[in-house]
Amino acid sequence: MSGTIENPPLAGVTGLSKAAVVALLEALDTAVIVSERNGRVVFANAPARKCLKLQVTEELTINIFTEFLLVDGNEIFREIENGKQGLSLELDRGGERFLANVRWVPEADWILAQFVRQEEQPEPDRATQITVQELLQEREITYRNLLAAYLKLQEVNRQKTVFLASAAHELKTPLAVIKGYYDLMLAGSLGKLSDKQRDILEESKESCERLVRLVSMFLNYSALESGKLVLQLRENDLRDCLEEVAKRWAEAFQRKGVKLEAAFDPSIPNFRFDYQKVQQAAANLLDNALKHTPAGGTVTLHAGPHFWERRVAEVAPIQERRRFRLPRPNSVEVSVADSGPGIPAEHHQEIFEDFVRVDRNTTGMGLGLAIAKRLIQAHRGKIWVQSEPVGGSKFTFLLPMDQN
């Protein structure tokens, strides 16, 4: 029995609850596979990957019913609806015999399958039969208690997301009105201003704009957390998209005394992407660069075509990959480089997590990079950082041009 699989985030599992569930499954010494109701495999622990000969790949196409259990999923659910708590199936694959214990987890709508080699299942003697049954009952109780705690955490997380979205919506309208009045006064529509008054109004407007960006970030975060993110994929010009972002941020960079340079390769073709979502991701990277670049520094926004050689399940020899390499780029590379203090290597992964701030002296909630990562991944792209403690940072993301 063989196949290919990766372990994506379990559906609906976030934060500490996800880590706890994964850790529990990984701690088991028997092979366990978790799938959605339709059979799509979403997790396999280490014993399962070893015993069932699963290989890690970027493409996930494994179905537990057709690939492992060799049974119609509807038959399993008919048995469950007739009152059975679980099913046991004997399988014979590649000369190895397995016993698959299949259970439906209704709270999460998961299929949980435990695979045991037949020779690994010796018949227990009568002296230990009662002890084994007691241990199984205790494990069942522990499992149900952990699942109940997980579901409770999920509900608390949902309520937090709903509250965050409601508060952000309530703040959005009055902040827009306040910002509009600042623009009127600074334009001289309500009378002439002295230099001191203008300076005070400009500082107040900057604070108001910071609040607007924060509210917008909360709205984006709540949409991502609730699973309501929908991409509006249309044929767009990425250069126009990024030029708008650069012009929008030019004033903020000028106020801080940081130089913003933008360079876009004219050979970038039009392709399908969500115009506003990509703008949001680029804006978050510019905001992050501006925070960490001192006055007199430089931030560079660059975009150009790129050939993205994705990994596949069976990696072809280097000579063969070179021979069949695409004659043209299949993605676009966008980068934001700054001349700030840089980021230590040990923080390169965690800075893309929710509410993480490496430098506590800067403003913000630690959501900008996390939101940018989710928006890029929604486009089937990837994002990463290159940085040293001195020498600045360079954030880069790839957008595939074959969006469907």
Side-chain angles (χ1 to χ4, degrees), residues 220 223-224 226-231 274 277 374-375 378:
N220 285 325
L224 291 166
S226 60
K228 295 180 180 179
L229 175 67
V230 178
L231 294 182
D274 189 311
K277 300 296 189 299
R374 296 192 192 186
L375 294 176

Side-chain angles (χ1 to χ4, degrees), residues 95-109:
E96 292 183 294
R97 297 182 60 82
F98 291 86
L99 180 65
N101 297 313
V102 185
R103 177 182 296 274
W104 177 50
V105 184
E107 295 85 351
D109 202 17

Side-chain angles (χ1 to χ4, degrees), residues 36-336:
E36 297 175 348
R37 185 185 184 92
N38 60 10
R40 187 179 75 87
V41 174
V42 296
F43 180 83
N45 66 358
R49 297 193 294 272
K50 179 180 178 181
C51 144
L52 303 177
K53 301 175 183 177
L54 299 177
Q55 298 177 356
V56 176
T57 181
E58 288 188 351
E59 302 296 331
L60 180 61
T61 57
I62 299 298
N63 186 290
I64 195 172
F65 300 128
T66 59
E67 183 74 16
F68 298 108
L69 302 180
L70 303 180
V71 65
D72 187 354
N74 294 326
E75 294 183 10
I76 291 182
F77 282 99
R78 276 197 294 269
E79 294 289 339
I80 292 173
E81 289 172 356
N82 290 334
K84 286 191 176 182
Q85 294 296 319
L87 299 175
S88 294
L89 304 173
E90 292 187 358
L91 307 174
D92 188 355
R93 286 291 178 272
E96 292 183 294
R97 297 182 60 82
F98 291 86
L99 180 65
N101 297 313
V102 185
R103 177 182 296 274
W104 177 50
V105 184
E107 295 85 351
D109 202 17
W110 290 339
I111 293 294
L112 188 69
Q114 182 184 40
F115 295 83
V116 182
R117 284 195 179 93
Q118 289 288 50
E119 62 269 21
E120 294 178 357
Q121 265 202 153
E123 187 69 26
D125 55 41
R126 294 182 179 179
T128 61
Q129 184 68 38
I130 297 177
T131 304
V132 171
Q133 289 179 349
E134 290 176 350
L135 289 173
L136 289 174
Q137 290 175 355
E138 290 181 3
R139 188 175 69 175
E140 180 73 15
I141 293 172
T142 302
Y143 162 75
R144 291 191 174 276
N145 289 339
L146 287 172
L147 188 57
Y150 156 71
L151 294 174
K152 185 176 180 180
L153 285 172
Q154 287 295 96
E155 176 59 22
V156 172
N157 185 63
R158 187 193 67 81
Q159 292 177 358
K160 177 263 296 179
T161 302
V162 171
F163 169 77
L164 193 62
S166 300
H169 275 293
E170 290 297 323
L171 289 170
K172 187 176 181 180
T173 300
L175 284 174
V177 173
I178 295 171
K179 183 177 178 297
Y181 282 130
Y182 281 133
D183 290 335
L184 284 174
M185 288 187 288
L186 288 171
S189 301
L190 302 181
K192 188 177 180 180
L193 299 173
S194 66
D195 292 340
K196 185 175 182 180
Q197 289 172 330
R198 181 172 295 276
D199 290 341
I200 292 174
L201 286 175
E202 285 180 349
E203 290 183 7
S204 301
K205 180 188 175 184
E206 184 179 354
S207 298
C208 181
E209 288 176 343
R210 191 182 304 122
L211 281 174
V212 170
R213 290 196 296 269
L214 188 60
V215 168
S216 177
M217 198 168 293
F218 281 152
L219 289 173
N220 285 325
Y221 177 75
S222 62
L224 291 166
E225 279 289 285
S226 60
K228 295 180 180 179
L229 175 67
V230 178
L231 294 182
Q232 303 295 329
L233 297 177
R234 294 185 178 86
E235 199 84 8
N236 291 309
D237 188 333
L238 184 66
R239 289 172 299 172
D240 290 344
C241 173
L242 297 178
E243 281 175 1
E244 285 186 13
V245 177
K247 290 178 181 178
R248 196 180 305 159
W249 280 84
E251 185 180 348
F253 275 80
Q254 186 176 4
R255 283 198 300 263
K256 190 176 178 181
V258 176
K259 185 179 180 181
L260 175 60
E261 297 179 346
F264 311 124
D265 194 314
S267 66
I268 299 175
N270 291 356
F271 65 99
R272 288 169 58 82
F273 64 92
D274 189 311
Y275 199 88
Q276 292 185 343
K277 300 296 189 299
V278 171
Q279 276 195 339
Q280 181 66 60
N284 287 2
L285 295 184
L286 287 175
D287 183 27
N288 181 74
L290 181 60
K291 289 177 184 175
H292 297 90
T293 304
T298 303
V299 172
T300 303
L301 173 62
H302 177 267
H306 178 81
F307 179 79
W308 184 2
E309 187 176 13
R310 302 195 186 198
R311 292 178 298 171
V312 294
E314 296 181 1
V315 180
I318 295 177
Q319 295 82 359
E320 185 176 345
R321 295 206 306 271
R322 287 174 178 171
R323 191 186 340 143
F324 291 103
R325 181 167 292 183
L326 293 177
R328 60 183 179 82
N330 58 2
S331 64
V332 176
E333 181 182 87
V334 180
S335 64
V336 174

